[in-house]
Amino acid sequence: MDGAPKPEKDSEYLSTLERGLKVLRAFDATHPEMQLSEVAQVTGLSPAVARRCLNTLVQLGYVAQFGRKFLLRPEVLSFGTAYLSSMNVDQVILPPLQKLRDDTGDSASMAVLSGSDILYVAHVSTNRRIRLGATVGTRFPVHATSLGKVLLAFQPAQVIAHYMASASLQRFTERTVISADALEQRLQGARETGYDSALDELDYGIVSVAVPVFDAARNAIASINCSTSTTRISQDELVRTRLPMLREASAEIGSALQRWPTLMHSLQTH
């Protein structure tokens, strides 16, 4: 995963492919369109290398150029849809999450670790309007989410140590965990209780509770949560009422993954 210790590059490693992917990933909500100089700055590539990458991506149809600005084209969506369809996410993961949503009225999500972030691989939204929007492919910082903290808590010691040494604990609200000591305490609490709950940590007005999803070897490969508005329910009530359902859904997903080893292997990071 990004941010984790990487193996040494071997003779089969294509640096040009790495650079091209880096350019694609440079475009986000903060940088929906950029000039060449901006792409070079965001990626850390030289302008000459960034230009060659952009020109190649334009010819392949993944990037468009309007004047001096570059932006992504819809063709990049084929990468995400290929994963979802080839890994049968709809059949394996979505049904338990949809049941959570239907039974609770909360949004329900599943995420994996991706460096210092969590990456949503499945999300079932509620009709209720909440401030924090999330879809498949959304990334949020580990330290500010229940999904991230409960998943990190059950990682091997070396993964946790690397995260603690390299992650930037950015403040998003007054309740965001921004000290290493406080985060360690939350991780320890998650290991003891088997869940984490976040209140107003990533944004105000959002409360959530999350549990890990384990593979057959009891490795935490993902996490699932329920999240909703603080105007609907208190944090204590959310934990009390949703935790049994989340644990049931986690066990159901973990069991289903045994029947879909390709998806399980794709979620495993070590």
Side-chain angles (χ1 to χ4, degrees):
M1 62 187 183
D2 295 345
K6 295 181 174 61
E8 292 185 8
K9 299 176 184 177
D10 57 32
S11 60
E12 298 294 314
Y13 191 92
L14 287 176
S15 297
T16 51
L17 178 58
E18 177 190 27
R19 293 164 185 160
L21 293 173
K22 186 177 290 187
V23 168
L24 277 180
R25 296 183 65 176
F27 295 90
D28 56 20
T30 308
H31 307 93
E33 58 178 10
M34 292 182 282
Q35 296 184 19
L36 170 60
S37 59
E38 295 174 291
V39 173
Q41 181 179 11
V42 171
T43 60
L45 300 173
S46 70
V49 171
R51 184 182 68 251
R52 289 197 295 270
C53 290
L54 286 166
N55 288 340
T56 301
L57 291 167
V58 167
Q59 293 186 48
L60 292 174
Y62 297 115
V63 171
Q65 181 177 6
F66 290 89
R68 299 177 62 188
K69 297 276 190 175
F70 295 90
L71 67 159
L72 296 179
R73 297 194 64 218
E75 191 66 25
V76 299
L77 293 172
S78 61
F79 295 118
T81 55
Y83 176 80
L84 295 175
S85 61
S86 66
M87 294 299 161
N88 299 290
V89 170
D90 286 356
Q91 296 97 314
V92 182
I93 297 174
L94 283 185
L97 296 184
Q98 289 170 336
K99 186 175 188 303
L100 278 173
R101 188 273 312 276
D102 294 344
D103 290 347
T104 66
D106 306 334
S107 295
S109 308
M110 177 168 164
V112 297
L113 284 179
S114 179
S116 58
D117 294 335
I118 54 166
L119 176 66
Y120 280 63
V121 295
H123 177 73
V124 181
S125 63
T126 176
N127 292 329
R128 294 183 174 86
R129 191 173 179 83
I130 59 175
R131 295 181 58 183
L132 192 62
T135 59
V136 173
T138 294
R139 305 175 72 94
F140 289 131
V142 164
H143 74 284
T145 61
S146 60
L147 283 165
K149 284 191 285 290
V150 79
L151 187 48
L152 180 63
F154 286 90
Q155 297 306 300
Q158 65 270 24
V159 174
I160 298 175
H162 178 79
Y163 174 87
M164 298 301 294
S166 60
S168 173
L169 304 182
Q170 179 183 350
R171 181 187 294 278
F172 295 96
T173 74
E174 293 179 355
R175 297 183 65 95
T176 306
V177 177
I178 58 170
S179 78
D181 288 344
L183 181 55
E184 289 278 14
Q185 290 179 6
R186 284 287 289 274
L187 298 182
Q188 181 61 35
R191 283 189 290 270
E192 293 173 354
T193 63
Y195 75 90
D196 183 77
S197 177
L199 172 65
D200 294 340
E201 294 187 35
L202 184 60
D203 196 4
Y204 292 106
I206 305 297
V207 60
S208 64
V209 58
V211 300
V213 176
F214 297 100
D215 64 14
R218 293 297 294 175
N219 298 309
I221 58 175
S223 56
I224 60 172
N225 82 339
C226 287
S227 63
T228 190
S229 168
T230 54
T231 60
R232 288 188 63 224
I233 193 170
S234 69
Q235 186 176 26
D236 288 345
E237 183 70 6
L238 183 79
V239 171
R240 186 184 68 80
T241 57
R242 275 47 166 182
L243 193 54
M245 290 184 281
L246 277 168
R247 286 174 169 157
E248 181 178 348
S250 172
E252 182 178 348
I253 293 172
S255 177
L257 288 174
Q258 306 305 310
R259 302 189 298 273
W260 298 86
T262 302
L263 175 55
M264 182 175 64
H265 295 158
S266 79
L267 298 174
Q268 293 169 327
T269 57
H270 49 265

